[in-house]
Amino acid sequence: MASATAIANPDAEARGAEPRRRVWPVGSRLGRLIIALQLVGLAVLVGGALVLNELRRGLVDARIESLTLEGQVVANVIDQTATLGDPPGLQADVAANVLQNLYIPRSQRVRLFDAEGHLLADSMVVADRVESAPLPPARKPDEKPVRLAIPGFGPKAKPDDAARALAAEVSRALSGRPASDTRLSEGGRRVVSVSLPIQHVREVLGVLTLEAGDVDQIIAAERTALIPFALVAVGVTLLSSLLLTQLVARPILRLASAADRVRLSRARAIDLPDLAERNDEIGDLTRSLTDMTKALSDRIDAIESFAADVAHEIRNPLTSIRSATETLSLVKDDAPREKLMGILKQDVGRLDRLITDISNASRLDAELAREAPRPLDLERLLQEIAGFYEATAKEGDPHVRFSPVAGRHDPMLVAAREGPLGQVFRNLIDNARSFSPEGGEVRVALARGRGEVVATIDDDGPGMPPENLETVFERFYTSRPKGKAFGGNSGLGLSIARQIVEAHKGRVWAENRQDAEGRVTGARFCVALPAA
């Protein structure tokens, strides 16, 4: 029943006609914000890692370059001072003295190999240098002994692997080309290593290998430098989470609470103006819920009004029936009894017609929701309706004539539901026939306007008072033409027609036709529907 009594909400319809948010996240403000905030934190972390990775690579490359320069100097000195004989060869004792006299930082190690890859000199040996590590704190008597991590013999130490890596590097350098790499030393530390061939003219006499063991310190510095980036990324993530909670979670909880208040009948509609003013999905949801609850509230009011109107309209024939039945037992003459029986039949017919129209009105929303609008040829529909009236017309009934659109071959398409829209034109034609004189004519025409198709139904009746051109669409409004029996109309036909037309985003209105002298020559009902 509520479907026949819905009151239009112009603001809600205007907003509903506008497109909501489009494809996510292109048309989503919150979607873009969520993605941006998460990407900022990720970008900080990734950017920091990339920057530090480039820094590490740059430091290692710079270390290799500096070791190469130092190695070239040492190799030239050894070539000039420790190369004797013909063919020339390296003097191991002289080379060891050279290495001992040269300044070699403690973080570096220099080794000299002959042409066959045998070790001739080692800066750690000639300088009498020993690798050391701090001792652990003294243990208490009841504590278990702690194993010392001796360089070269800890769990990370792999002497065989370190020796193979060094041998491979020396072998590459013996081919006459410098070799550089980062590898593990015998002590398990990561070192930057450069191996340079010692050449006399073109002959390779040996290989000079320089190692720098400060790579671990570089990596540790990188990790330390990465901490601020990680902290910033964590902070951005936490901030984005708080913002999302403030911008999304809390407003949705407020909407849920407002909906609960409406459900528990403590409010008639959701009213959250601060959320409705937001220009994002939360604002859209708030406005949609506000419009929905407002429409439901209006519909509840309309149901109450409709129920009161129905009770009033049904009460009239029931009162007449009760009065006739009470009088019928008192009347003995046949003529008055026949008259009372006629009144009873008329009131029963009126009551049946009224209940039928009320039932049709109550099912209208369900019928409109059951079928989706489809392209409909309005010209074909009106031709079929007019043809049906002509085929079933009785003698003296007004004729229904449809005038096809002249000079057009393309169909007049509208997006509509054929069943409900056919009911609109049947209601309008029935109304026009009821006001037409006996043997008169009802004319149906079709025309195309700006983006819409307009159908007109004309009659030759007395027309309508100007003040009633809008009133005729109200529920249970009836204006009986002269000579027509009382109760022949329920007053719902035009109201149902307007409701169906407005459900199709169209318009329906009434006007009077006038001749050249300004006299009313009949009524005209117009239906404008958007063209498909």
Side-chain angles (χ1 to χ4, degrees):
M1 189 185 303
S3 60
T5 60
I7 296 177
N9 186 345
D11 296 335
E13 290 181 358
R15 283 197 294 266
E18 297 175 357
R20 294 293 184 183
R21 300 285 164 182
R22 294 177 291 277
V23 180
W24 192 93
V26 176
S28 170
R29 188 173 181 180
L30 284 180
R32 295 194 300 268
L33 179 62
I34 292 172
I35 292 177
L37 289 176
Q38 298 301 325
L39 288 180
V40 166
L42 183 61
V44 170
L45 188 59
V46 173
L50 291 176
V51 169
L52 292 178
N53 189 44
E54 292 296 327
L55 177 63
R56 174 188 175 187
R57 185 180 296 109
L59 290 175
V60 171
D61 292 343
R63 203 76 180 95
I64 291 176
E65 184 177 356
S66 65
L67 289 177
T68 301
L69 293 176
E70 293 177 15
Q72 289 174 348
V73 172
V74 175
N76 289 333
V77 173
I78 292 175
D79 180 39
Q80 295 296 324
T81 59
T83 302
L84 297 173
D86 188 17
L90 287 177
Q91 302 294 319
D93 53 347
V94 177
N97 290 331
V98 171
L99 293 180
Q100 188 174 12
N101 293 328
L102 291 175
Y103 171 73
I104 300 176
R106 293 187 59 83
S107 62
Q108 295 182 12
R109 182 179 183 179
V110 181
R111 281 182 278 194
L112 181 64
F113 299 89
D114 61 13
E116 295 181 356
H118 299 137
L119 180 65
L120 298 180
D122 189 339
S123 63
M124 293 187 67
V125 175
V126 299
D128 196 21
R129 187 187 306 166
V130 179
E131 288 191 353
S132 62
L135 293 173
R139 66 182 178 89
K140 297 179 181 179
D142 56 344
E143 289 182 345
K144 294 182 180 180
V146 179
R147 296 181 62 186
L148 297 178
I150 302 175
F153 297 93
K156 293 184 179 179
K158 296 181 180 179
D160 293 341
D161 294 342
R164 282 195 293 268
L166 177 61
E169 182 178 330
V170 172
S171 177
R172 293 198 303 271
L174 286 173
S175 64
R177 295 180 181 178
S180 60
D181 199 359
T182 56
R183 54 182 174 81
L184 293 178
S185 67
E186 292 84 346
R189 294 187 305 170
R190 188 177 299 275
V191 296
V192 176
S193 177
V194 174
S195 295
L196 301 172
I198 300 177
Q199 292 179 289
H200 189 79
V201 188
R202 282 190 168 186
E203 185 175 358
V204 177
L205 304 179
V207 173
L208 182 69
T209 300
L210 290 83
E211 298 176 0
D214 54 357
V215 179
D216 289 336
Q217 289 81 354
I218 295 175
I219 295 176
E222 289 180 14
R223 292 172 179 170
T224 304
L226 186 61
I227 292 177
F229 293 96
L231 293 177
V232 171
V234 171
V236 171
T237 302
L238 291 177
L239 178 61
S240 65
S241 301
L242 293 175
L243 285 176
L244 292 177
T245 301
Q246 185 71 21
L247 295 175
V248 179
R250 292 187 62 184
I252 290 178
L253 288 177
R254 290 182 60 192
L255 287 174
S257 299
D260 288 338
R261 288 196 300 271
V262 174
R263 179 176 57 86
L264 297 175
S265 301
R266 292 197 295 265
R268 294 298 297 270
I270 293 177
D271 186 17
L272 298 173
D274 56 330
L275 296 181
E277 294 176 357
R278 289 178 50 165
N279 188 25
D280 55 22
E281 286 75 9
I282 300 297
D284 285 343
L285 178 60
T286 304
R287 290 189 291 271
S288 296
L289 290 177
T290 301
D291 294 341
M292 181 187 69
T293 53
K294 178 69 166 56
L296 289 175
S297 176
D298 292 342
R299 181 162 291 189
I300 291 172
D301 294 337
I303 289 173
E304 297 174 353
S305 175
F306 184 72
D309 292 341
V310 168
H312 174 74
E313 291 297 322
I314 292 179
R315 188 179 294 114
N316 289 335
L318 287 178
T319 301
S320 178
I321 291 173
R322 183 177 59 186
S323 177
T325 54
E326 291 175 352
T327 307
L328 187 61
S329 60
L330 302 177
V331 176
K332 305 301 181 180
D333 295 337
D334 292 338
R337 287 177 66 86
E338 289 295 331
K339 185 176 181 180
L340 288 175
M341 290 298 296
I343 293 174
L344 284 172
K345 292 179 181 179
Q346 180 180 354
D347 287 337
V348 169
R350 178 187 175 194
L351 190 60
D352 178 70
R353 186 164 41 255
L354 190 62
I355 293 175
T356 300
D357 288 345
I358 291 172
S359 176
N360 292 336
S362 65
R363 294 195 303 267
L364 185 56
D365 257 357
E367 293 178 0
L368 292 175
R370 189 178 301 116
E371 182 183 358
R374 291 180 295 182
L376 175 65
D377 187 350
L378 192 57
E379 185 174 8
R380 177 191 60 81
L381 177 65
L382 293 178
Q383 282 179 340
E384 292 178 355
I385 293 175
F388 173 79
Y389 276 101
E390 281 298 290
T392 59
K394 299 179 182 178
E395 185 178 355
D397 288 346
H399 297 283
V400 179
R401 308 290 188 197
F402 174 71
S403 301
V405 181
R408 294 192 64 90
H409 300 286
D410 55 319
M412 307 283 277
L413 297 179
V414 295
R417 306 163 181 86
E418 184 169 354
L421 197 59
Q423 183 181 356
V424 169
F425 292 109
R426 287 193 296 271
N427 289 355
L428 295 177
I429 292 174
D430 286 340
N431 181 80
R433 292 178 71 199
S434 68
F435 282 90
S436 295
E438 185 175 350
E441 186 176 74
V442 175
R443 292 169 297 280
V444 182
L446 198 59
R448 188 184 295 275
R450 292 185 177 179
E452 59 185 9
V453 178
V454 181
T456 58
I457 295 93
D458 295 346
D459 63 42
D460 294 327
M464 291 173 285
E467 64 274 11
N468 290 342
L469 292 177
E470 186 63 25
T471 310
V472 293
F473 294 100
E474 295 181 359
R475 295 189 310 271
F476 302 114
Y477 175 84
T478 57
S479 179
R480 298 183 300 275
K482 293 181 180 180
K484 296 293 182 180
F486 176 78
N489 299 286
S490 65
L492 286 175
L494 296 182
S495 174
I496 292 174
R498 167 164 282 187
Q499 185 180 351
I500 295 174
V501 171
E502 290 181 348
H504 288 82
K505 308 300 181 185
R507 301 173 293 126
V508 58
W509 68 94
E511 58 187 33
N512 285 320
R513 295 187 300 108
Q514 298 178 349
D515 58 14
E517 297 178 0
R519 292 191 299 266
V520 175
T521 59
R524 170 177 292 168
F525 285 87
C526 303
V527 177
L529 295 168

